Amino acid sequence: MKPFRYLQRFVLPWRCLLCGAAGSDGVDLCADCAAELPRNRSCCARCALPLAAPAAMCGECLRRAPPWDAAWAPFRYGWPLDRLESRYKFGADLAAGRVLSTLWRREPCPIDLPQLLLAVPLHRSRLRQRGYNQALELGRPLARELGVPLRHDVLQRLHRTDAQTELDAVGRRRNVRGAFALHSDIALPAHVAILDDVMTTGATVAECARVLKRAGVQRVDVWALARAPKPRNE
Ligand SMILES: [Zn+2]
Ligand SMILES: [Zn+2]
């Protein structure tokens, strides 16, 4: 720990952002709230969809394999992680983002490390509005820890898409079709992973994966901090 950071923490102790109790383990989260974080232990190996029982692949992937090769999402998108994520993403609460990035950095990566990590880009108008790319900032400490370069300027978002949260699975696919392109003068390695904060239907990362595969990348993985479970009505 750097001296300044130590000093800062000496004055300002770790505090749980969710319940206000003392933080533990060098993070602004208490042990009780940390124990409630929903882990994605039993999930589809291909798309990280939470499953009730362990299986190599979910029904969706068996019916139609996604355009990426493997996925890693250490958490499920549920209480209390969803609270921290929405405070970080929509409320510009960077302390919540720090907790999330620390949690992710501490998770062991269960699949082969890629040669390059690409954060899902935001359209420049949304980036201006939010002030930061939430996936990129979450992934930085993890990428540093693993020694994998993380870039945000290789994949580009060509047009602003509607917020995916309002759309169903088909609408999400249509919404992101043709939304991404590659920066032309960058040589891509054989193995790349796309990094996002939360993966819901996977429509966005699927579109990114298609662009990378078309450019000749042999293996494309998807990394997300959390995977949303399948909606009940699907
Ligand atoms: Zn707490
Ligand atoms: Zn699956």
Side-chain angles (χ1 to χ4, degrees):
M1 195 179 260
K2 293 197 177 80
F4 172 70
R5 199 149 166 73
Y6 177 76
L7 196 69
Q8 192 184 21
R9 280 296 158 191
F10 186 72
V11 180
L12 208 70
W14 306 103
R15 273 275 151 238
C16 182
L17 295 178
L18 293 165
C19 72
S24 84
D25 212 10
V27 71
D28 283 319
L29 199 63
C30 74
D32 288 345
C33 288
E36 280 194 62
L37 291 166
R39 290 177 178 271
N40 197 15
R41 289 219 174 85
S42 136
C43 64
C44 171
R46 189 74 184 256
C47 75
L49 184 76
L51 298 173
M57 274 205 236
C58 70
E60 195 72 36
C61 288
L62 284 172
R63 270 195 300 278
R64 190 172 59 170
W68 62 80
D69 296 278
W72 173 41
F75 296 97
R76 293 181 179 188
Y77 193 62
W79 171 263
L81 190 137
D82 54 355
R83 173 68 60 88
L84 291 168
E85 168 70 15
S86 60
R87 277 169 57 169
Y88 168 54
K89 189 168 174 175
F90 302 110
D93 184 342
L94 299 182
R98 252 187 323 270
V99 169
L100 294 172
S101 67
T102 305
L103 292 171
W104 200 358
R105 177 172 61 78
R106 289 175 177 176
E107 290 298 309
C109 177
I111 55 179
D112 291 341
L113 290 184
Q115 293 151 293
L116 177 66
L117 281 163
L118 299 179
V120 170
L122 296 180
H123 186 260
R124 57 180 186 280
S125 64
R126 197 178 297 279
L127 185 62
R128 215 163 26 233
Q129 193 179 44
R130 186 171 293 156
Y132 53 95
N133 175 329
Q134 78 281 354
L136 175 70
E137 300 310 325
L138 276 190
R140 277 190 208 278
L142 175 73
R144 210 178 300 126
E145 176 99 356
L146 297 171
V148 180
L150 169 63
R151 302 275 305 252
H152 66 279
D153 54 348
V154 174
L155 272 170
Q156 295 181 325
R157 201 155 194 140
L158 299 178
H159 51 85
R160 189 174 171 148
T161 48
D162 298 326
Q164 294 279 74
T165 32
E166 304 299 318
L167 303 164
D168 64 7
V170 176
R172 282 172 185 238
R173 258 202 312 278
R174 196 178 301 136
N175 190 31
V176 293
R177 194 169 295 151
F180 299 97
L182 285 168
H183 199 284
S184 53
D185 30 311
I186 288 155
L188 292 163
H191 184 190
V192 172
I194 301 159
L195 186 142
D196 209 353
D197 50 342
V198 179
M199 183 177 172
T200 307
T201 62
T204 302
V205 288
E207 192 60 24
C208 293
R210 281 186 208 104
V211 169
L212 290 167
K213 291 260 167 146
R214 273 203 295 270
V217 177
Q218 282 161 33
R219 175 171 167 178
V220 178
D221 296 339
V222 173
W223 288 17
L225 170 70
R227 179 75 157 99
K230 217 179 162 92
R232 260 180 258 276
N233 57 2
E234 265 185 41

